Amino acid sequence: MFGYRVPAPDEAMLISGGRRGLGGAPFRVVTGHGKFVLPVFRKTRFLSLAMMESEVVEKCVTKQGIALTVRAVIAFKVGNDHESIVNAGQRFLSDQEQMSVLTGRIFAGHLRSIIGSMTVEEIVTERQKLATEVLDTSKSEMAKIGLHVDSLQIQSIDDGNTGYIEAMSRPHKAAIQRQAQIAQAQATQAAAEAEQAAARKQAEYARQTAVVQAEYNAEVDRAKAQADQAGPLAMAHAQQEVLAAQTELALRQAELREKQLIAEVVKPAQADAERIRVLALAEAERMKIQAEAAASYDRVALDRMLIDQLPQIVKEASAGLAGANVNVLNGADGLGEIAAGLVGQGLTILDSVRKNLGGEPVGSDVEPYRGSGERNDDGPVDIR
């Protein structure tokens, strides 16, 4: 819009003409928002509030009289408050680049003053102390011109060709070198020990690997040997099982044959023997019963029956003399003796039969014939 002006975020808009600013300032300060400005009657300018820097390279003399070249960098800006903007606007609005020049000169003076009160050792070893003291001494002076210093950095300190700083650093360098050598020796020793430990570990690993490899090879050999023996062993086991089966079959066949023989031979034989034994017992019992029955008969009737058979017995005995050539030496007496001998023999036979049947001898009062003659089939019998 015509006549409406807005400053940038890092700018302050200064409006001159018309009313005066706060505190009797010759202009009004506007930051962060816009404002209507009547043309011709009002004039606007812009003051940068951005960060700026100034480099200082100053040759200073220390408390010991040693010249040092100090290089420093100052970071500063216009303050954000109304007073700082007014102070900076009144001094640098027409030439804002002069802020860096003036700031450098201000800090160069303070830097020379502070370094002149310090030794080289303090300056070298306590740079932050030096920077803090310079900032503290320049703070009020910088505030007067509306500037605010954010930081001061000492970049380098050089003693030229005097060699003071180098000489000062030699003991430290020697100590550092000594420490470095010690550290290097320790590192070398540690490296050697580490290398030896690594070699030992490698050797141990190689040994373990060899052992494992040997065990693996042995296991492979055993497995191969077992595999090679598996076939013959399986065949032998199979043959053994076949033989065992055949043996068991033969035993079963033998047992079956034995049972068949027992059924076919022994059992029938035992049955026959039992039958014969039973028949024999029955026959013996029958004979015993018959004998007991026979013993109960009348002995007289038995004797009579035997006596009745005596003539027939004598007849049979005499029949044996029918074909014999007998010479009688003493006539009728000799014939009587022969007849009496035949009767006696018949009685003896009857007596034997009765004994076998359990009876008494028949004609026990008859004396058997005791002739002295013998029968001779080849000639006559001599009767004496």
Side-chain angles (χ1 to χ4, degrees), residues 66-140:
I66 299 172
L68 298 177
T69 301
V70 179
R71 182 183 297 273
V73 175
I74 303 99
F76 67 96
K77 65 181 291 295
V78 176
N80 293 327
D81 59 286
H82 183 272
E83 184 180 359
S84 297
I85 294 173
V86 171
N87 292 334
Q90 289 177 341
R91 291 170 175 83
F92 306 108
L93 185 59
S94 59
D95 189 3
Q96 299 185 26
E97 293 181 358
Q98 288 296 318
M99 287 189 291
S100 297
V101 176
L102 182 59
T103 299
R105 290 175 181 175
I106 292 172
F107 271 89
H110 290 291
L111 191 62
R112 284 194 305 268
S113 175
I114 293 173
I115 287 178
S117 63
M118 298 176 64
T119 63
V120 177
E121 288 78 6
E122 292 175 345
I123 295 171
V124 172
T125 59
E126 299 177 5
R127 291 190 181 186
Q128 187 60 39
K129 179 182 176 181
L130 173 62
T132 302
E133 290 185 1
V134 172
L135 283 175
D136 292 339
T137 57
S138 62
K139 183 180 298 183
S140 60

